[in-house]
Amino acid sequence: MTVTSESSLAISGGKPAVTEPPGDLFTWPIITEADETAVLEVLRRGGMSGMDVTLEFEQDLKQWFGMPHVLCHNTGTAAIQAALWAVGVRRGDEVISQSMTYWGSSLQVFSLGATVVFSEMDPNTLTLDPSDIEHRITERTKAIVPVHYCGHPTDMDPIMEIAERHGVKVVEDVSHAQGALYKGRLVGTIGHVGAMSIMSGKSLACGEGGFLVTGDQEIYERAVAWGHYSRTGKLENPDLKPLAGMPLGGYKYRMHQLSSAVGRVQLKGYRERMTVIQDAMNHFWDRLEGTPGLRAHRPLVASGDTMGGWYAAHGLYRPEELDGLPVSRYCEAVNAEITSGFSVRGGANPLMHLHAVLNEADIYGDGKPTRIAFADRDLRQPQGSLPVTESLPERCFSIPWFKHYRPEQIDQYAEAFRKVAENAEQLQ
Ligand SMILES: *Cc1c(COP(=O)(O)O)cnc(C)c1O
């Protein structure tokens, strides 16, 4: 094939595909005067450590999710830890989750004296593969933590069915997927409790913060008792009442009110902004339909699933269609086409099961790695134990996360990915 000026890759001196500067195409969160006013109001009256704005934010969130209980936290990590304790995860217990995720999905189990067992992931959704879970359940398994990874909803129906059958609770990690739908239902409202981060990188962004949402009053009250000492006076559970006044976890998880103030404003506009992002991201993938080596990481429209705000958007990479071109080399060539505004990388979060913290670290001085300090067997998972998950760093890549629907500009980015894939032989 002759190399024309259109097909000559920027990495070898051709013309880059993206010529327009990005402007605010990627800027997030979108801050307006309403956010500024809300923050200044709290700041000027010295209300940072109060509760009034946070309680209002909880009301907004209950309405948004259509759920009776929401509890705001100072981080998503804290909300997930509280949720795990509240569903009954205790010393020696096991939690099942996925290995490719931000560590805050499950690493908190160590602070509960519990441990994590990683289950395989579905290579197309990058979420838990329901067919690999059941054989990992033991009498010590207390919870499953599905992560709606990079916005993609986990296949929840079979997971709920397995959980019910084994008396295991489901804690959804919704940090990547606020507003995403699974078969038309909001993720976070399907498991026994949904917990999530809303730190400012996330698609619903408040600053630093997180919350949990649940239909179960017992779970809600236990989470209050765990990390919200100033709210324990209102608990109805007779087991918790005598303990009121001090947090059972020894943690203080109250949300900073500059965060809840921003969160309230961001939530008001979230549905609308999410729709714009969905239009933009779907436009990007529609343009790339049929490109060798590339697959969209998104559900079929007919499934009733959506990607929420497409947090940390990724694509699926199929190197066998590109003569085995490594994803890192592919991304390097795409970055040369993009030149400014966004750089992409192969892979996603580092795999948890291969990290030293999950294998060697003795964090609490038990004389054993913390992962197995209270376990009844060596449940560590060495290299080779999760072949599908371990193949994923070579089989996905980050893509630009568009915050505005500007088709002509987005087309240039899509062209960068298409051009490199269609001319991959120039990189061999
Ligand atoms: C961001 C994130 C968290 C933790 O949230 P923080 O608010 O940063 O503590 C948990 N799980 C996932 C998947 C995340 O991306």
Side-chain angles (χ1 to χ4, degrees):
M1 188 170 132
T2 50
V3 177
T4 65
S5 61
E6 280 75 54
S7 62
S8 162
L9 296 180
I11 199 168
S12 29
K15 190 169 156 299
V18 178
T19 53
E20 214 178 311
D24 64 351
L25 191 57
F26 303 115
T27 307
W28 197 257
I30 296 170
I31 296 297
T32 66
E33 223 175 283
D35 302 88
E36 294 169 5
T37 307
V39 165
L40 285 175
E41 189 279 320
V42 176
L43 193 63
R44 287 185 175 143
R45 71 174 158 90
M48 278 91 78
S49 288
M51 282 293 297
D52 55 330
V53 184
T54 300
L55 291 173
E56 284 172 343
F57 186 32
E58 288 178 356
Q59 291 302 330
D60 300 344
L61 288 165
K62 284 187 230 177
Q63 214 167 32
W64 205 87
F65 281 93
M67 295 290 276
H69 306 289
V70 166
L71 186 60
C72 283
H73 285 74
N74 56 353
T75 65
T77 307
I80 293 170
Q81 188 216 37
L84 288 168
W85 184 80
V87 300
V89 176
R90 299 289 183 270
R91 199 179 303 289
D93 288 344
E94 296 168 20
V95 163
I96 292 174
S97 191
Q98 67 186 50
S99 176
M100 184 191 255
T101 176
Y102 180 73
W103 56 264
S105 295
S106 63
L107 195 58
Q108 304 91 319
V109 292
F110 286 180
S111 65
L112 304 176
T115 193
V116 56
V117 171
F118 298 106
S119 192
E120 279 286 30
M121 294 167 63
D122 180 314
N124 296 313
T125 65
L126 307 181
T127 64
L128 275 182
D129 176 354
S131 71
D132 190 60
I133 292 173
E134 199 155 14
H135 71 104
R136 299 184 193 273
I137 293 179
T138 73
E139 57 192 18
R140 291 176 166 223
T141 308
K142 291 289 155 47
I144 301 170
V145 183
V147 185
H148 306 293
Y149 195 59
C150 299
H152 202 300
T154 308
D155 189 5
M156 291 299 291
D157 283 346
I159 291 177
M160 293 310 293
E161 193 265 321
I162 292 164
E164 298 300 339
R165 194 140 33 81
H166 293 272
V168 167
K169 300 292 187 200
V170 175
V171 177
E172 292 175 74
D173 181 350
V174 191
S175 304
H176 291 192
Q178 298 88 358
L181 301 175
Y182 170 71
K183 298 185 180 175
R185 284 180 291 163
L186 272 175
V187 298
T189 66
I190 301 163
H192 299 90
V193 49
M196 66 202 82
S197 171
I198 50 171
M199 54 78 80
S200 47
K202 302 287 152 71
S203 33
L204 177 61
C206 78
E208 289 292 347
F211 62 90
L212 59 82
V213 51
T214 180
D216 185 324
Q217 171 144 355
E218 295 264 316
I219 291 174
Y220 167 77
E221 290 212 342
R222 279 197 291 270
V224 170
W226 179 250
H228 300 264
Y229 77 98
S230 67
R231 301 173 71 164
T232 52
K234 297 209 174 76
L235 299 178
E236 288 172 23
N237 183 335
D239 297 335
L240 298 172
K241 244 185 179 358
L243 306 172
M246 286 201 201
L248 296 184
Y251 296 107
K252 183 187 166 203
Y253 283 161
R254 183 164 66 208
M255 184 179 267
H256 194 303
Q257 292 218 115
L258 296 188
S259 286
S260 34
V262 173
R264 289 199 77 195
V265 177
Q266 290 289 318
L267 184 68
K268 270 198 197 90
Y270 185 57
R271 217 179 287 277
E272 203 177 318
R273 286 181 187 161
M274 191 169 67
T275 307
V276 173
I277 291 172
Q278 288 177 358
D279 288 347
M281 298 307 300
N282 281 315
H283 179 84
F284 172 82
W285 279 121
D286 290 346
R287 297 294 291 192
L288 286 171
E289 199 64 52
T291 308
L294 311 186
R295 300 283 185 285
H297 178 237
R298 62 174 172 178
L300 295 172
V301 175
S303 64
D305 295 5
T306 70
M307 298 283 286
W310 286 76
Y311 175 73
H314 274 66
L316 305 175
Y317 187 68
R318 299 294 173 254
E320 57 277 12
E321 296 174 11
L322 301 174
D323 279 333
L325 181 72
V327 70
S328 55
R329 181 75 176 138
Y330 174 76
C331 289
E332 197 186 343
V334 170
N335 285 332
E337 301 292 338
I338 291 179
T339 64
S340 74
F342 210 97
S343 82
V344 299
R345 293 198 291 137
N349 288 109
L351 304 183
M352 288 181 73
H353 74 284
L354 301 180
H355 195 282
V357 168
L358 279 293
N359 288 291
E360 291 147 36
D362 175 5
I363 301 156
Y364 298 104
D366 294 301
K368 283 192 243 185
T370 301
R371 177 94 179 273
I372 54 169
F374 302 104
D376 60 355
R377 64 194 185 287
D378 190 349
L379 44 69
R380 287 175 293 178
Q381 293 163 288
Q383 180 101 43
S385 60
L386 293 168
V388 178
T389 301
E390 288 167 25
S391 74
L392 296 177
E394 268 300 316
R395 298 181 69 78
C396 65
F397 57 96
S398 59
I399 57 168
W401 183 18
F402 305 107
K403 310 306 191 314
H404 301 275
Y405 179 61
R406 293 175 188 150
E408 279 159 37
Q409 213 175 350
I410 294 168
D411 287 350
Q412 292 198 340
Y413 286 87
E415 173 57 15
F417 286 82
R418 191 200 58 74
K419 184 180 164 192
V420 176
E422 288 185 352
N423 297 282
E425 80 285 346
Q426 289 182 39
L427 297 168
Q428 295 290 0

